[in-house]
Amino acid sequence: MRTGGRSTITIGADTVDRDGLEELAANRAGDIAGAPVVAVVAHPALSTVATVLAGLRARVTVVPLSPDAGGMERNHILTDSGAALLVDGGHISMLPPPPRSRVVNDVEADLLLYTSGTTGLPKGVPISMAAVRACIDGLADAWGWSKDDVLVHGLPLHHVHGLVLGVLGPLAVGSGLTHTGRPTPTAYAAAGGTMYFGVPTVWTRIASDAAAARALSSARLLVSGSAALPGPVFDSLLAQAGQAPVERYGMTETLITLAARADHPRSRGSVGAPLPGIRARIVDEHGHPAAPDEIGELEVSGATVFSGYLNRPEATSESFTPDGWFRTGDIASAGADGVHRIVGRASSDLIKTGGYRVGAGEVEDALLTHPSVAEAAVVGEPDDDLGQRIVAYVVSDGADEQGLIQHVATALSAHKRPRAIHFLTALPRNSMGKVDKGRLRD
Ligand code: MCA
Ligand code: AMP
């Protein structure tokens, strides 16, 4: 693989310098200018980056789509966002106008990213460039990220991690970028960068590949995020690569809010302190501040936090406290030194699999569209590679496991497919008639 030099951008086999990228973006800007919202199929390719940049320059809201999104997910995102054009590589098509106006007019949305909740289809999260800049400035400070760095990663370009941090980050800082197409241990080892981004699954796979782990010993900084890094993986990378990753924590809605610093000692499970311009607090079940080291729900506010979901006033008001803090839904603790640890999620219906956030309800709804499925319950079960794997429990008249997995894949993205389906004659329910997912997992 060719390696991006300082300040060049390499994606797969293609490399451009800054001027070359600006030229690609300028060409694309002519195609999309005037559209309020443009969707782009986020292939790992320079054309995706050029479309995003063109949108930012032309003040067109860009909605990146997962390249493997199934029909139900894709139609929802295109309709909900009000996208007028769909860019797929070199191909641009016009979309039918949405049934009612979905145009993003009262929120600052340079990007619109879709993310799953516990129920229903994914929600649109408008992200402003002001928030992106604040986030990158904070991370550059925490990690000493500079023009001299070459960032390497192979993460998908339709999420905050791969796109906002992993592409807009190097462009803002002026560092080089090598995107490896997929985040495989071999590709990371061959890329020769100074900084590497990965979700825990990527680090787990690198830790089990001795040659890849050794090759990363020449890197300046390894960074893990999007889910909790398992302690044994932290230890294994420390032993093999001579350094453990720094961890940082964030959400689509808030961008990155907490980060361990490159110049501080690293410790397992620590996601560091709030970035500049961010405030974080831990509250108990009554909303009162928790004492140092006590666990509670993490709430954040500040420059990188979004102002609300697109077209979802109820979901928005539920996710903010009356005094304006965003309820993350994550359970955490903070030491007297301000260093945070994430210990879990308040709701077991948000699953993190390979760093992807998947709502149990979204997968259940997809299963229920199958004519032979009467009832469905989806849970995340512990998985050494993925953190959690999606498992479905189904009451069905004649459906088979592979057929149902395939059925979900035609509706949603590939990583939302259940890895296993168990067939039951009835789902366990509590006295209120609600499915008792605890008993399913047991
Ligand atoms: C997957 N496969 C399946 C099933 N699921 N096959 C049958 N049944 C299933 N249910 C297939 C896949 O398509 C793939 O096939 C093969 O099995 C292996 O899949 P998998 O185990 O998922 O591994 P992978 O394809 O190598 O993906 C692992 C990954 C990926 C690369 C770590 O999960 C990934 O890119 N994750 C990143 C997610 C991310 O960026 N999240 C950030 C969200 P084949 O090999 O043929 O393709 S932003 C965020 O969280 C915040 C802001 C933050 O803090 O960052
Ligand atoms: P997403 O919206 O896909 O951005 O997912 C955000 C969620 O990822 C958070 O609410 C956390 O549950 C999880 N997450 C992100 N970073 C970390 C981390 N370093 N440790 C534990 N969980 C994390």
Side-chain angles (χ1 to χ4, degrees):
M1 175 186 311
R2 277 157 64 196
T3 300
R6 283 169 178 58
S7 90
T8 64
I9 308 293
T10 297
I11 303 199
D14 300 319
T15 298
V16 282
D17 60 16
R18 293 305 157 111
D19 291 344
L21 185 60
E22 287 298 338
E23 206 176 307
L24 290 175
N27 292 341
R28 187 41 54 87
D31 301 326
I32 65 171
V37 182
V38 167
V40 56
V41 181
H43 301 288
L46 282 177
S47 64
T48 302
V49 177
T51 304
V52 170
L53 276 190
L56 296 177
R57 304 274 185 270
R59 299 309 310 256
V60 171
T61 299
V62 177
V63 190
L65 283 176
S66 169
D68 63 20
M72 190 164 109
E73 185 173 328
R74 189 178 162 110
N75 289 341
H76 163 68
I77 294 175
L78 293 178
T79 313
D80 186 70
S81 67
L85 297 175
L86 175 65
V87 180
D88 188 351
H91 187 74
I92 301 184
S93 44
M94 282 179 67
L95 296 167
R100 57 200 155 104
S101 175
R102 289 291 198 178
V103 174
V104 190
N105 46 17
D106 56 349
V107 282
E108 222 189 314
D110 291 297
L111 293 173
L112 185 59
L113 301 192
Y114 276 78
T115 194
S116 299
T118 51
T119 57
L121 288 161
K123 300 191 281 283
V125 175
I127 295 174
S128 71
M129 272 311 282
V132 171
R133 276 188 216 102
C135 177
I136 304 299
D137 285 352
L139 293 176
D141 176 66
W143 298 337
W145 187 359
S146 79
K147 286 185 171 49
D148 295 331
D149 281 305
V150 175
L151 173 67
V152 176
H153 72 90
L155 297 167
L157 298 185
H158 60 290
H159 283 306
V160 163
H161 198 162
L163 180 64
V164 174
L165 274 51
V167 172
L168 300 183
L171 293 178
V173 169
S175 67
L177 166 65
T178 298
H179 189 286
T180 58
R182 288 186 75 154
T184 62
T186 312
Y188 273 39
T194 64
M195 273 174 83
Y196 286 76
F197 286 176
V199 296
T201 300
V202 170
W203 295 120
T204 301
R205 293 176 184 182
I206 289 172
S208 348
D209 180 330
R214 263 198 314 276
L216 297 192
S217 59
S218 57
R220 186 179 71 73
L221 190 69
L222 313 179
V223 183
S224 180
S226 302
L229 182 70
V233 176
F234 178 101
D235 293 343
S236 170
L237 288 169
L238 182 58
Q240 298 183 80
Q243 57 178 326
V246 289
E247 274 200 84
R248 90 296 175 292
Y249 160 88
M251 294 182 75
T252 307
E253 292 90 333
T254 66
L255 306 184
I256 305 307
T257 48
L258 306 168
R261 296 187 62 87
D263 55 4
H264 282 194
R266 277 156 225 183
S267 78
R268 281 163 142 229
S270 159
V271 294
L275 287 169
I278 301 295
R279 293 191 301 158
R281 67 186 186 191
I282 312 282
V283 297
D284 66 17
E285 64 272 38
H286 308 295
H288 299 139
D293 297 320
E294 250 178 47
I295 63 167
E297 184 176 351
L298 173 65
E299 297 179 347
V300 294
S301 74
T304 63
V305 179
F306 81 144
S307 53
Y309 298 104
L310 180 69
N311 303 322
R312 302 288 301 272
E314 277 156 35
T316 300
S317 71
E318 277 165 21
S319 60
F320 284 93
T321 64
D323 59 343
W325 292 63
F326 179 72
R327 306 180 209 265
T328 66
D330 287 305
I331 306 300
S333 67
D337 56 0
V339 169
H340 287 66
R341 312 178 79 79
I342 309 295
V343 299
R345 274 206 71 85
S347 168
S348 59
D349 280 341
L350 266 193
I351 299 165
K352 265 273 162 159
T353 179
Y356 284 113
R357 172 168 150 187
V358 180
E362 188 183 356
V363 183
E364 288 159 3
D365 290 349
L367 286 164
L368 287 167
T369 62
H370 191 282
S372 316
V373 172
E375 294 180 73
V378 166
V379 297
E381 296 191 350
D383 186 281
D384 288 343
D385 179 44
L386 299 167
Q388 287 182 296
R389 70 173 172 279
I390 301 173
V391 175
Y393 293 82
V394 161
V395 178
S396 158
D397 181 13
D400 68 288
E401 183 176 24
Q402 283 315 313
L404 279 186
I405 291 173
Q406 191 45 37
H407 179 76
V408 174
T410 59
L412 307 174
S413 299
H415 62 267
K416 295 182 180 174
R417 281 175 289 180
R419 304 270 160 167
I421 298 193
H422 302 296
F423 292 94
L424 303 178
T425 48
L427 296 181
R429 291 182 186 271
N430 63 20
S431 55
M432 309 289 290
K434 213 170 164 293
V435 177
D436 184 346
K437 291 196 174 177
R439 272 170 62 202
L440 281 175
R441 271 187 224 97
D442 296 342

